[in-house]
Amino acid sequence: MSSPTSTPESTEGSTSDHPARSTDEPAGGLPGEPAGEPAGGPAGGRHGRRIPRRLVQLTAGLLLYGASSALLVRSGLGLEPWNVLHQGLARLTGLSIGVVVTLMGGVVLLLWIPLRQRPGLGTVANVLLIGAAMDGTLALLPDVHGTGARVALMVAGVVLNGAATGLYIAARFGPGPRDGLMTGLHRVTGRSLRLIRTLIEVGVVATGFLLGGSVGVGTLLYAFAIGPLAQLSLRLFTVPAGRAVPSTPSPAPGDPADPAETPADAPAPTGAAGATSGTPGDRPAVAAGPPDRVILPR
């Protein structure tokens, strides 16, 4: 599924002006991780020991994503962009929308081959779980009547979808098929993620609408709210990765940094451990960036 969808960039996803790695995670996982570190972390490392939590988080996020999409279907007030297409295809073919979601996920995954994208466990799980969760929720949730109930389902669907997006992206098992398509096209064409996402989603919304998919206020609410919601969810659910602390080489004799060669009354350098309160020395320097980035020293 596409999350965050619409112009904010993230993930299947994502969300604000993020780089491609916010949703298309190469070996280093989320942005800020060393590029050479496997997605599961170093063997026996702290990040690797979190695999059970990450698997639970991935599964919960994908199931919640499908269930929240079903709430939007039941509201009848408009769907997220890709589900407009899925609903239109479901009406055209007579298949359930969940089955169409699964089949389309497989088709989009085939488009990864010429783009040389590599699927992860999360990519395959995305294809298998979201559609099943949608059909299961729709089977249990009856039709609703009345404007108040429909608006409540729409708002709940958008909010839960944002939470689900952060859950499964932050589990670091790879992007969903639709976000992988976006980031693959970005890499191959050199065009911006914002442009690629906009073109894809305008195309799927227009096609889905012509096929009978539901476009409405829910579609607009999703477009504007999913980025901030998924960004907040990423902040809450990102699994921290262990980082090695770089060693500081010992100063050579005669080096000004050598304590033995530094006069006792010399002022402390900026950022030194002995800096007075309020100086940069007692505050960690962090790289600015969206909350799904790992904070690293400058």
Side-chain angles (χ1 to χ4, degrees):
M1 300 299 303
S2 180
S3 90
T5 53
S6 79
T7 4
E9 295 148 12
S10 130
T11 111
E12 209 144 330
S14 152
T15 87
S16 70
D17 222 7
H18 296 182
R21 293 183 60 194
S22 64
T23 52
D24 187 22
E25 301 166 24
L30 288 182
E33 290 187 25
E37 181 179 332
R46 185 174 65 178
H47 192 49
R49 291 197 297 269
R50 291 193 172 95
I51 286 179
R53 169 190 162 176
R54 293 167 59 209
L55 288 170
V56 170
Q57 186 169 310
L58 171 69
T59 304
L62 293 175
L63 292 177
L64 181 60
Y65 195 103
S68 62
S69 295
L71 297 183
L72 289 171
V73 172
R74 280 288 183 256
S75 77
L77 294 175
L79 302 176
E80 61 267 48
W82 276 95
N83 275 338
V84 175
L85 175 61
H86 297 149
Q87 188 181 55
L89 289 172
R91 291 179 174 175
L92 179 68
T93 61
L95 299 172
S96 71
I97 188 170
V99 170
V100 172
V101 167
T102 302
L103 293 176
M104 279 296 297
V107 170
V108 173
L109 201 54
L110 291 176
L111 298 178
W112 283 30
I113 297 173
L115 298 176
R116 297 184 179 180
Q117 292 282 93
R118 292 180 298 175
L121 175 63
T123 312
V124 178
N126 186 298
V127 174
L128 298 177
L129 293 183
I130 290 181
M134 281 189 72
D135 276 350
T137 305
L138 289 170
L140 296 173
L141 187 66
D143 291 329
V144 295
H145 304 284
T147 303
R150 295 171 66 195
V151 169
L153 280 182
M154 175 189 68
V155 172
V158 171
V159 171
L160 292 176
N161 198 280
T165 296
L167 269 171
Y168 84 78
I169 290 178
R172 305 170 186 262
F173 279 113
R178 294 155 188 83
D179 271 343
L181 174 65
M182 175 192 72
T183 53
L185 288 171
H186 159 70
R187 190 185 67 251
V188 169
T189 65
R191 301 294 183 179
S192 71
L193 281 172
R194 186 176 298 275
L195 176 62
I196 295 293
R197 180 178 286 277
T198 300
L199 291 176
I200 290 176
E201 294 190 352
V202 167
V204 298
V205 167
T207 304
F209 178 73
L210 292 175
L211 294 175
S214 176
V215 176
V217 64
T219 311
L220 292 176
L221 177 63
Y222 188 93
F224 285 105
I226 193 61
L229 288 171
Q231 190 168 310
L232 174 62
S233 181
L234 280 165
R235 180 193 294 270
L236 295 175
F237 298 120
T238 293
V239 181
R243 297 194 302 273
V245 179
S247 59
T248 304
S250 302
D255 191 301
D258 187 351
E261 303 293 331
T262 304
D265 58 348
T270 302
T276 58
S277 177
T279 65
D282 61 353
R283 294 194 304 269
V286 297
D292 58 312
R293 285 180 175 272
V294 178
I295 298 178
L296 296 173
R298 271 199 291 262

Coordinates of all heavy atoms in Angstrom, one line a residue, residues 59-150:
T59 N 4.1 -7.0 11.5 CA 2.8 -7.7 11.3 C 1.7 -6.8 11.8 O 0.7 -6.7 11.1 CB 2.8 -9.0 12.0 OG1 3.9 -9.8 11.6 CG2 1.5 -9.8 11.8
A60 N 1.8 -6.2 13.0 CA 0.8 -5.4 13.5 C 0.5 -4.2 12.6 O -0.6 -3.8 12.3 CB 1.2 -4.9 14.9
G61 N 1.6 -3.6 12.1 CA 1.4 -2.4 11.2 C 0.7 -2.7 9.9 O -0.2 -2.0 9.5
L62 N 1.0 -3.9 9.3 CA 0.4 -4.2 8.0 C -1.1 -4.6 8.3 O -2.0 -4.3 7.5 CB 1.2 -5.4 7.4 CG 2.6 -5.0 6.9 CD1 3.3 -6.3 6.4 CD2 2.5 -4.0 5.8
L63 N -1.3 -5.4 9.3 CA -2.7 -5.7 9.6 C -3.6 -4.5 9.9 O -4.7 -4.3 9.5 CB -2.8 -6.7 10.8 CG -2.2 -8.1 10.5 CD1 -2.3 -9.0 11.8 CD2 -3.0 -8.8 9.4
L64 N -3.0 -3.5 10.7 CA -3.7 -2.3 11.0 C -3.9 -1.5 9.8 O -4.9 -0.8 9.6 CB -2.9 -1.5 12.1 CG -3.5 -0.2 12.5 CD1 -4.9 -0.4 13.2 CD2 -2.6 0.5 13.5
Y65 N -2.9 -1.5 8.9 CA -3.0 -0.7 7.6 C -4.3 -1.3 6.8 O -5.1 -0.5 6.3 CB -1.8 -0.9 6.8 CG -1.7 0.1 5.7 CD1 -0.9 1.2 5.8 CD2 -2.4 0.0 4.5 CE1 -0.8 2.2 4.8 CE2 -2.3 0.9 3.5 CZ -1.5 2.0 3.6 OH -1.5 2.9 2.6
G66 N -4.4 -2.6 6.7 CA -5.5 -3.1 6.0 C -6.8 -2.8 6.7 O -7.8 -2.5 6.0
A67 N -6.9 -2.9 8.0 CA -8.1 -2.7 8.7 C -8.5 -1.2 8.6 O -9.7 -0.9 8.4 CB -7.9 -3.1 10.2
S68 N -7.5 -0.3 8.7 CA -7.8 1.1 8.6 C -8.3 1.5 7.2 O -9.2 2.3 7.0 CB -6.6 2.0 8.9 OG -5.5 1.7 8.1
S69 N -7.8 0.8 6.2 CA -8.3 1.1 4.8 C -9.7 0.6 4.7 O -10.5 1.2 3.9 CB -7.4 0.4 3.8 OG -6.1 0.9 3.8
A70 N -10.0 -0.5 5.3 CA -11.4 -1.0 5.3 C -12.4 0.0 5.9 O -13.5 0.2 5.5 CB -11.5 -2.3 6.0
L71 N -11.9 0.7 7.0 CA -12.8 1.8 7.6 C -13.1 2.9 6.6 O -14.2 3.4 6.6 CB -12.1 2.3 8.8 CG -11.8 1.4 10.0 CD1 -11.2 2.2 11.2 CD2 -13.1 0.7 10.5
L72 N -12.1 3.2 5.8 CA -12.3 4.2 4.8 C -13.3 3.7 3.7 O -14.1 4.5 3.2 CB -11.0 4.7 4.1 CG -10.0 5.5 5.0 CD1 -8.7 5.6 4.3 CD2 -10.6 6.8 5.3
V73 N -13.2 2.5 3.4 CA -14.2 1.9 2.4 C -15.6 2.0 3.0 O -16.5 2.4 2.3 CB -13.8 0.4 2.1 CG1 -14.9 -0.2 1.3 CG2 -12.5 0.4 1.3
R74 N -15.8 1.6 4.2 CA -17.1 1.6 4.8 C -17.6 3.0 5.0 O -18.8 3.3 5.0 CB -17.1 0.9 6.2 CG -17.1 -0.6 6.1 CD -18.5 -1.1 5.7 NE -18.6 -2.5 5.7 CZ -18.6 -3.3 4.6 NH1 -18.5 -2.7 3.4 NH2 -18.6 -4.6 4.6
S75 N -16.7 4.0 5.2 CA -17.2 5.4 5.3 C -17.9 5.9 4.1 O -18.8 6.7 4.1 CB -16.1 6.3 5.7 OG -15.2 6.6 4.6
G76 N -17.4 5.4 2.9 CA -18.0 5.9 1.7 C -17.7 7.3 1.3 O -18.3 7.9 0.5
L77 N -16.7 7.9 2.0 CA -16.4 9.3 1.8 C -15.1 9.6 1.0 O -14.6 10.7 1.0 CB -16.3 10.1 3.1 CG -17.7 10.1 3.9 CD1 -17.5 10.7 5.3 CD2 -18.7 10.9 3.1
G78 N -14.5 8.5 0.5 CA -13.3 8.6 -0.3 C -12.2 7.8 0.2 O -12.1 7.6 1.5
L79 N -11.4 7.3 -0.6 CA -10.3 6.4 -0.3 C -8.9 7.0 -0.5 O -8.8 8.0 -1.3 CB -10.4 5.1 -1.0 CG -11.7 4.3 -0.9 CD1 -11.7 3.1 -1.8 CD2 -11.9 3.9 0.5
E80 N -7.9 6.4 0.0 CA -6.5 6.8 -0.3 C -6.3 6.5 -1.8 O -6.9 5.6 -2.4 CB -5.5 6.1 0.6 CG -5.5 4.6 0.6 CD -6.4 4.0 1.6 OE1 -7.6 4.4 1.7 OE2 -6.0 3.0 2.3
P81 N -5.3 7.2 -2.4 CA -5.2 7.1 -3.9 C -5.1 5.7 -4.5 O -5.9 5.4 -5.4 CB -3.8 7.8 -4.1 CG -3.8 8.9 -3.0 CD -4.4 8.2 -1.8
W82 N -4.2 4.8 -4.0 CA -4.1 3.5 -4.6 C -5.4 2.7 -4.4 O -5.8 1.9 -5.2 CB -2.9 2.7 -4.0 CG -1.7 3.0 -4.7 CD1 -0.7 4.0 -4.3 CD2 -1.2 2.5 -5.9 NE1 0.3 4.0 -5.2 CE2 0.1 3.1 -6.2 CE3 -1.6 1.5 -6.7 CZ2 0.8 2.7 -7.3 CZ3 -0.9 1.1 -7.9 CH2 0.3 1.8 -8.1
N83 N -6.1 2.9 -3.2 CA -7.3 2.1 -3.0 C -8.5 2.6 -3.9 O -9.5 1.9 -4.1 CB -7.7 2.1 -1.6 CG -7.0 1.0 -0.8 OD1 -6.6 0.0 -1.4 ND2 -6.9 1.1 0.5
V84 N -8.4 3.9 -4.4 CA -9.4 4.3 -5.4 C -9.3 3.4 -6.6 O -10.3 2.9 -7.2 CB -9.2 5.8 -5.8 CG1 -10.1 6.2 -6.9 CG2 -9.4 6.7 -4.5
L85 N -8.0 3.1 -7.0 CA -7.8 2.2 -8.2 C -8.2 0.8 -7.8 O -8.9 0.2 -8.6 CB -6.3 2.3 -8.6 CG -5.9 1.3 -9.7 CD1 -6.6 1.6 -11.0 CD2 -4.4 1.3 -9.9
H86 N -7.9 0.3 -6.6 CA -8.2 -1.0 -6.3 C -9.7 -1.2 -6.2 O -10.3 -2.2 -6.7 CB -7.6 -1.4 -4.9 CG -6.1 -1.3 -4.9 ND1 -5.4 -1.0 -3.8 CD2 -5.2 -1.6 -5.8 CE1 -4.1 -1.0 -4.0 NE2 -4.0 -1.4 -5.3
Q87 N -10.5 -0.2 -5.7 CA -11.9 -0.3 -5.6 C -12.5 -0.3 -7.0 O -13.5 -1.1 -7.3 CB -12.5 0.8 -4.8 CG -14.0 0.6 -4.5 CD -14.5 1.8 -3.7 OE1 -14.4 2.9 -4.1 NE2 -15.1 1.4 -2.5
G88 N -12.0 0.5 -7.9 CA -12.5 0.6 -9.3 C -12.2 -0.8 -10.0 O -13.1 -1.3 -10.7
L89 N -11.1 -1.4 -9.8 CA -10.8 -2.7 -10.4 C -11.7 -3.8 -9.8 O -12.1 -4.7 -10.5 CB -9.3 -3.0 -10.2 CG -8.3 -2.2 -11.1 CD1 -6.9 -2.5 -10.6 CD2 -8.5 -2.5 -12.5
A90 N -11.9 -3.7 -8.5 CA -12.8 -4.7 -7.9 C -14.2 -4.6 -8.5 O -14.8 -5.6 -8.7 CB -12.9 -4.4 -6.4
R91 N -14.7 -3.4 -8.7 CA -16.1 -3.3 -9.3 C -16.1 -3.7 -10.7 O -17.1 -4.3 -11.2 CB -16.5 -1.8 -9.2 CG -16.8 -1.4 -7.8 CD -17.3 0.1 -7.7 NE -17.7 0.4 -6.3 CZ -18.0 1.6 -5.9 NH1 -18.0 2.6 -6.8 NH2 -18.4 1.8 -4.6
L92 N -14.9 -3.5 -11.4 CA -14.9 -4.0 -12.8 C -14.8 -5.5 -12.9 O -15.4 -6.1 -13.8 CB -13.7 -3.3 -13.5 CG -13.4 -3.7 -14.9 CD1 -14.5 -3.1 -15.8 CD2 -12.0 -3.1 -15.4
T93 N -14.0 -6.1 -12.0 CA -13.8 -7.6 -12.2 C -14.7 -8.4 -11.3 O -14.8 -9.6 -11.6 CB -12.3 -7.9 -11.7 OG1 -12.2 -7.5 -10.3 CG2 -11.3 -7.1 -12.6
G94 N -15.4 -7.8 -10.3 CA -16.2 -8.7 -9.4 C -15.4 -9.3 -8.3 O -16.0 -10.0 -7.5
L95 N -14.1 -9.1 -8.2 CA -13.3 -9.6 -7.1 C -13.5 -8.7 -5.9 O -13.9 -7.5 -6.0 CB -11.8 -9.7 -7.5 CG -11.5 -10.6 -8.7 CD1 -10.0 -10.4 -9.1 CD2 -11.7 -12.0 -8.4
S96 N -13.1 -9.2 -4.7 CA -13.1 -8.4 -3.5 C -12.0 -7.4 -3.6 O -11.0 -7.7 -4.3 CB -13.0 -9.3 -2.3 OG -11.7 -9.8 -2.2
I97 N -12.1 -6.3 -2.9 CA -11.0 -5.3 -3.0 C -9.8 -5.8 -2.3 O -8.7 -5.5 -2.8 CB -11.5 -4.0 -2.3 CG1 -10.5 -2.9 -2.5 CG2 -11.8 -4.2 -0.8 CD1 -10.9 -1.5 -2.0
G98 N -9.9 -6.7 -1.3 CA -8.7 -7.3 -0.7 C -7.9 -8.1 -1.7 O -6.7 -8.1 -1.8
V99 N -8.6 -8.9 -2.5 CA -8.0 -9.8 -3.5 C -7.3 -8.9 -4.6 O -6.2 -9.2 -5.0 CB -9.0 -10.7 -4.2 CG1 -8.4 -11.4 -5.4 CG2 -9.5 -11.7 -3.1
V100 N -7.9 -7.8 -5.0 CA -7.4 -6.9 -5.9 C -6.1 -6.2 -5.4 O -5.1 -6.1 -6.1 CB -8.4 -5.8 -6.4 CG1 -7.7 -4.7 -7.2 CG2 -9.5 -6.5 -7.1
V101 N -6.1 -5.8 -4.1 CA -5.0 -5.3 -3.4 C -3.8 -6.2 -3.5 O -2.6 -5.9 -3.9 CB -5.3 -4.9 -2.0 CG1 -4.0 -4.6 -1.2 CG2 -6.2 -3.7 -1.9
T102 N -4.0 -7.5 -3.2 CA -3.0 -8.5 -3.2 C -2.4 -8.7 -4.7 O -1.2 -8.8 -4.9 CB -3.5 -9.8 -2.7 OG1 -4.0 -9.6 -1.3 CG2 -2.4 -10.9 -2.7
L103 N -3.3 -8.9 -5.6 CA -2.9 -9.1 -7.0 C -2.1 -7.9 -7.6 O -1.1 -8.1 -8.2 CB -4.1 -9.4 -7.9 CG -4.9 -10.7 -7.6 CD1 -6.1 -10.8 -8.5 CD2 -4.0 -11.9 -7.8
M104 N -2.6 -6.7 -7.3 CA -1.9 -5.5 -7.7 C -0.6 -5.3 -7.1 O 0.4 -4.9 -7.7 CB -2.8 -4.2 -7.5 CG -3.8 -4.0 -8.5 SD -3.1 -3.7 -10.2 CE -2.3 -2.1 -9.9
G105 N -0.5 -5.8 -5.8 CA 0.8 -5.7 -5.1 C 1.8 -6.6 -5.9 O 3.0 -6.3 -6.1
G106 N 1.4 -7.8 -6.3 CA 2.2 -8.7 -7.1 C 2.6 -8.1 -8.4 O 3.8 -8.2 -8.8
V107 N 1.7 -7.5 -9.1 CA 2.0 -6.9 -10.4 C 3.0 -5.8 -10.2 O 4.0 -5.7 -11.0 CB 0.7 -6.3 -11.0 CG1 1.0 -5.5 -12.3 CG2 -0.2 -7.5 -11.4
V108 N 2.8 -4.9 -9.2 CA 3.8 -3.8 -9.0 C 5.1 -4.4 -8.6 O 6.2 -3.8 -9.1 CB 3.2 -2.9 -7.9 CG1 4.3 -1.8 -7.5 CG2 2.0 -2.2 -8.4
L109 N 5.2 -5.5 -7.9 CA 6.4 -6.1 -7.5 C 7.2 -6.5 -8.7 O 8.4 -6.5 -8.8 CB 6.2 -7.2 -6.6 CG 7.3 -7.7 -5.7 CD1 7.9 -6.5 -4.9 CD2 6.9 -8.8 -4.7
L110 N 6.5 -7.0 -9.8 CA 7.1 -7.4 -11.0 C 7.8 -6.2 -11.7 O 8.8 -6.4 -12.4 CB 6.1 -8.1 -11.9 CG 5.6 -9.4 -11.5 CD1 4.5 -9.9 -12.5 CD2 6.7 -10.5 -11.4
L111 N 7.2 -5.0 -11.5 CA 7.8 -3.8 -12.1 C 9.2 -3.5 -11.4 O 9.9 -2.7 -12.0 CB 6.9 -2.7 -12.0 CG 5.5 -2.8 -12.7 CD1 4.6 -1.6 -12.5 CD2 5.8 -3.0 -14.2
W112 N 9.5 -4.1 -10.3 CA 10.7 -3.8 -9.6 C 11.9 -4.4 -10.4 O 13.0 -4.0 -10.3 CB 10.7 -4.4 -8.2 CG 10.0 -3.7 -7.2 CD1 8.9 -2.9 -7.4 CD2 10.3 -3.7 -5.8 NE1 8.5 -2.4 -6.2 CE2 9.3 -2.8 -5.2 CE3 11.3 -4.3 -5.0 CZ2 9.3 -2.6 -3.8 CZ3 11.3 -4.0 -3.7 CH2 10.3 -3.2 -3.1
I113 N 11.6 -5.5 -11.2 CA 12.7 -6.2 -11.9 C 13.5 -5.3 -12.8 O 14.7 -5.2 -12.7 CB 12.1 -7.4 -12.6 CG1 11.5 -8.4 -11.6 CG2 13.2 -8.1 -13.4 CD1 10.8 -9.6 -12.3
P114 N 12.9 -4.6 -13.8 CA 13.7 -3.7 -14.6 C 14.3 -2.5 -13.8 O 15.3 -1.9 -14.3 CB 12.7 -3.2 -15.7 CG 11.4 -3.4 -15.1 CD 11.4 -4.6 -14.2
L115 N 13.7 -2.2 -12.7 CA 14.2 -1.1 -11.9 C 15.4 -1.6 -10.9 O 16.0 -0.8 -10.2 CB 13.1 -0.5 -11.0 CG 12.0 0.2 -11.8 CD1 10.9 0.7 -10.9 CD2 12.5 1.3 -12.7
R116 N 15.6 -2.9 -10.9 CA 16.6 -3.5 -10.1 C 16.4 -3.2 -8.6 O 17.4 -2.9 -7.9 CB 18.0 -3.0 -10.5 CG 18.4 -3.5 -11.9 CD 19.8 -3.1 -12.4 NE 20.1 -3.6 -13.7 CZ 21.2 -3.4 -14.3 NH1 22.2 -2.7 -13.7 NH2 21.4 -3.8 -15.6
Q117 N 15.2 -3.2 -8.2 CA 14.9 -3.1 -6.8 C 14.9 -4.4 -6.1 O 14.5 -5.4 -6.7 CB 13.5 -2.5 -6.6 CG 13.3 -1.0 -7.0 CD 13.9 -0.1 -6.0 OE1 15.1 0.3 -6.1 NE2 13.1 0.3 -5.1
R118 N 15.3 -4.5 -4.9 CA 15.4 -5.7 -4.1 C 14.4 -5.8 -3.0 O 14.4 -4.9 -2.1 CB 16.8 -5.9 -3.5 CG 17.9 -6.1 -4.5 CD 19.2 -6.3 -3.9 NE 19.6 -5.1 -3.1 CZ 20.7 -5.0 -2.3 NH1 21.5 -6.1 -2.2 NH2 21.0 -3.9 -1.7
P119 N 13.4 -6.7 -3.1 CA 12.4 -6.8 -2.0 C 13.0 -7.3 -0.8 O 13.9 -8.1 -0.7 CB 11.4 -7.8 -2.6 CG 12.1 -8.6 -3.6 CD 13.2 -7.8 -4.1
G120 N 12.3 -6.9 0.3 CA 12.7 -7.5 1.6 C 11.5 -8.3 2.2 O 10.5 -8.4 1.6
L121 N 11.7 -8.7 3.4 CA 10.6 -9.5 4.1 C 9.4 -8.6 4.2 O 8.2 -9.1 4.0 CB 11.1 -9.9 5.5 CG 10.0 -10.6 6.4 CD1 9.5 -11.9 5.7 CD2 10.6 -10.9 7.8
G122 N 9.6 -7.3 4.5 CA 8.4 -6.4 4.7 C 7.7 -6.2 3.3 O 6.5 -6.0 3.3
T123 N 8.4 -6.3 2.2 CA 7.8 -6.1 0.9 C 6.8 -7.3 0.6 O 5.7 -7.1 0.2 CB 8.9 -6.1 -0.2 OG1 9.9 -5.2 0.2 CG2 8.3 -5.7 -1.5
V124 N 7.3 -8.5 0.9 CA 6.5 -9.7 0.7 C 5.3 -9.7 1.6 O 4.1 -10.0 1.2 CB 7.3 -11.0 0.8 CG1 6.4 -12.2 0.6 CG2 8.5 -11.0 -0.2
A125 N 5.6 -9.4 2.9 CA 4.5 -9.4 3.9 C 3.4 -8.4 3.5 O 2.2 -8.6 3.8 CB 5.1 -9.1 5.3
N126 N 3.9 -7.2 3.0 CA 2.9 -6.2 2.6 C 1.9 -6.7 1.6 O 0.7 -6.5 1.7 CB 3.7 -5.0 2.0 CG 2.9 -3.8 1.6 OD1 2.0 -3.9 0.8 ND2 3.2 -2.7 2.3
V127 N 2.4 -7.5 0.6 CA 1.6 -8.0 -0.5 C 0.6 -9.0 0.1 O -0.6 -9.1 -0.3 CB 2.5 -8.7 -1.6 CG1 1.6 -9.4 -2.6 CG2 3.3 -7.6 -2.3
L128 N 1.0 -9.8 1.1 CA 0.2 -10.9 1.5 C -0.8 -10.5 2.6 O -1.9 -11.1 2.7 CB 1.1 -12.1 2.1 CG 2.1 -12.7 1.1 CD1 2.9 -13.7 1.8 CD2 1.3 -13.4 0.0
L129 N -0.4 -9.5 3.5 CA -1.3 -9.3 4.6 C -2.3 -8.2 4.5 O -3.4 -8.3 5.1 CB -0.3 -9.0 5.8 CG 0.6 -10.1 6.3 CD1 1.4 -9.6 7.5 CD2 -0.3 -11.3 6.7
I130 N -2.0 -7.1 3.8 CA -2.9 -6.0 3.8 C -4.2 -6.3 3.1 O -5.3 -6.0 3.7 CB -2.2 -4.8 3.0 CG1 -1.0 -4.2 3.9 CG2 -3.2 -3.7 2.8 CD1 -0.3 -3.0 3.3
G131 N -4.2 -6.9 2.0 CA -5.5 -7.3 1.3 C -6.3 -8.2 2.2 O -7.5 -8.1 2.3
A132 N -5.7 -9.2 2.8 CA -6.4 -10.1 3.7 C -7.0 -9.4 4.9 O -8.1 -9.7 5.3 CB -5.5 -11.3 4.1
A133 N -6.2 -8.5 5.4 CA -6.8 -7.7 6.6 C -8.0 -6.8 6.1 O -8.9 -6.7 6.9 CB -5.7 -6.8 7.2
M134 N -7.9 -6.3 4.9 CA -9.0 -5.5 4.4 C -10.3 -6.3 4.3 O -11.3 -5.9 4.8 CB -8.6 -4.8 3.1 CG -7.8 -3.6 3.1 SD -7.6 -2.8 1.5 CE -9.3 -2.1 1.4
D135 N -10.2 -7.4 3.6 CA -11.3 -8.3 3.4 C -11.9 -8.8 4.8 O -13.1 -8.9 5.0 CB -11.0 -9.5 2.5 CG -11.1 -9.1 1.0 OD1 -11.6 -8.0 0.7 OD2 -10.6 -9.9 0.2
G136 N -11.0 -9.2 5.7 CA -11.4 -9.6 7.0 C -12.2 -8.6 7.8 O -13.3 -8.8 8.4
T137 N -11.7 -7.3 7.7 CA -12.4 -6.2 8.4 C -13.7 -5.9 7.8 O -14.7 -5.7 8.5 CB -11.5 -5.0 8.5 OG1 -10.2 -5.4 9.1 CG2 -12.1 -3.9 9.3
L138 N -13.7 -5.9 6.5 CA -15.0 -5.6 5.8 C -16.0 -6.7 6.0 O -17.2 -6.4 6.1 CB -14.7 -5.5 4.3 CG -14.0 -4.2 3.8 CD1 -13.6 -4.3 2.3 CD2 -14.8 -3.0 4.0
A139 N -15.6 -7.9 6.2 CA -16.6 -9.0 6.5 C -17.2 -8.8 7.9 O -18.3 -9.2 8.2 CB -15.9 -10.3 6.4
L140 N -16.4 -8.2 8.8 CA -16.9 -8.1 10.2 C -17.6 -6.8 10.4 O -18.5 -6.6 11.3 CB -15.7 -8.2 11.2 CG -15.0 -9.5 11.2 CD1 -13.7 -9.4 12.1 CD2 -15.9 -10.6 11.8
L141 N -17.3 -5.7 9.6 CA -17.8 -4.4 9.8 C -19.0 -4.2 8.9 O -18.9 -4.2 7.7 CB -16.7 -3.4 9.6 CG -17.0 -1.9 9.9 CD1 -17.2 -1.7 11.4 CD2 -15.9 -1.0 9.4
P142 N -20.2 -3.9 9.5 CA -21.4 -3.7 8.7 C -21.4 -2.4 8.0 O -20.6 -1.5 8.4 CB -22.6 -3.9 9.7 CG -22.0 -3.5 11.0 CD -20.5 -3.9 11.0
D143 N -22.3 -2.2 7.1 CA -22.4 -0.9 6.5 C -22.9 0.1 7.6 O -23.7 -0.3 8.5 CB -23.5 -0.9 5.3 CG -22.9 -1.7 4.1 OD1 -21.7 -1.6 3.9 OD2 -23.7 -2.3 3.4
V144 N -22.5 1.4 7.4 CA -22.9 2.4 8.4 C -23.8 3.4 7.7 O -23.7 3.6 6.5 CB -21.7 3.1 9.0 CG1 -20.9 2.1 9.9 CG2 -20.8 3.8 8.0
H145 N -24.7 4.0 8.4 CA -25.6 5.0 7.9 C -25.6 6.2 8.8 O -25.4 6.1 10.0 CB -27.0 4.4 7.8 CG -27.1 3.2 7.0 ND1 -27.1 3.1 5.7 CD2 -27.3 1.9 7.5 CE1 -27.2 1.9 5.3 NE2 -27.3 1.1 6.3
G146 N -25.8 7.3 8.2 CA -25.7 8.6 9.0 C -24.4 9.3 8.8 O -23.3 8.6 8.8
T147 N -24.5 10.6 8.6 CA -23.2 11.4 8.4 C -22.2 11.3 9.5 O -21.0 11.2 9.3 CB -23.6 12.8 8.1 OG1 -24.6 12.9 7.0 CG2 -22.4 13.7 7.8
G148 N -22.7 11.4 10.7 CA -21.8 11.3 11.9 C -21.0 10.1 11.9 O -19.8 10.1 12.2
A149 N -21.6 8.9 11.8 CA -20.9 7.6 11.8 C -19.9 7.5 10.7 O -18.8 7.0 10.8 CB -21.9 6.5 11.8
R150 N -20.3 8.0 9.5 CA -19.4 7.9 8.3 C -18.2 8.8 8.5 O -17.1 8.4 8.2 CB -20.2 8.2 7.1 CG -21.3 7.3 6.7 CD -22.2 7.8 5.6 NE -21.4 7.8 4.3 CZ -21.8 8.5 3.2 NH1 -22.9 9.2 3.3 NH2 -21.1 8.5 2.2

